[in-house]
Amino acid sequence: MNIKWITIMVKNLEESKKFYEEYLGLEQIRSFSPRENMKIVFYADKNGMQIELIEDLTNKNTSWNSNAVSIGIQYDNYDELLELARDMNILESGPIDLGEIECFYVSDPNNVMIQVIKEK
């Protein structure tokens, strides 16, 4: 297992970018828009830990809100975990193609979203 990043769903990406860049001093390492009305920005600290900010204007009324947090974890056995999630009925969404990665979401017993990642 390799914890890749912590994801934070944000209400206003520009305000959030200002906070993470100007206040915390994190370096923006990439940004992209996998679909209309969605923007994603990644920041990294000096140790390589990443924070992913997502502004999704299409899902404002879903369970994902400005307080939503998820943990992105990369596993070598992605396909096996996907099948197990289906078997255990804990698959929340996915698999989702985000260009550089494919992922799916499960939620832990405390409703923390876990994003399981496969790099392409």
Side-chain angles (χ1 to χ4, degrees):
M1 174 180 80
N2 182 20
I3 296 177
K4 299 287 283 185
W5 56 72
I6 305 297
T7 300
I8 303 170
M9 302 301 291
V10 301
K11 289 188 277 189
N12 183 304
L13 185 60
E14 292 307 313
E15 287 179 2
S16 297
K17 286 170 57 176
K18 186 175 180 179
F19 175 83
Y20 285 94
E21 290 172 17
E22 294 179 16
Y23 179 69
L24 292 180
L26 295 177
E27 177 185 357
Q28 182 177 324
I29 57 171
R30 70 179 181 272
S31 65
F32 59 99
S33 181
R35 66 174 188 261
E36 187 177 351
N37 294 320
M38 177 183 261
K39 296 175 186 171
I40 300 175
V41 178
F42 279 87
Y43 289 92
D45 70 8
K46 63 182 179 179
N47 297 315
M49 181 61 192
Q50 297 179 21
I51 293 177
E52 175 188 34
L53 304 179
I54 299 178
E55 180 184 64
D56 187 353
L57 301 176
T58 59
N59 291 323
K60 288 294 184 184
N61 297 320
T62 66
S63 61
W64 285 95
N65 59 45
S66 62
N67 296 321
V69 174
S70 73
I71 301 171
I73 299 175
Q74 182 178 0
Y75 282 89
D76 293 333
N77 57 342
Y78 173 92
D79 294 322
E80 292 172 28
L81 286 174
L82 177 58
E83 289 307 312
L84 183 59
R86 288 178 174 141
D87 292 344
M88 295 175 65
N89 200 29
I90 60 170
L91 183 64
E92 295 289 334
S93 69
I96 303 165
D97 183 346
L98 294 173
E100 298 174 7
I101 65 169
E102 179 179 298
C103 66
F104 63 89
Y105 292 87
V106 296
S107 93
D108 81 355
N110 301 298
N111 291 323
V112 173
M113 296 297 284
I114 307 297
Q115 178 186 27
V116 182
I117 302 158
K118 174 172 73 174
E119 293 183 347
K120 294 182 179 179

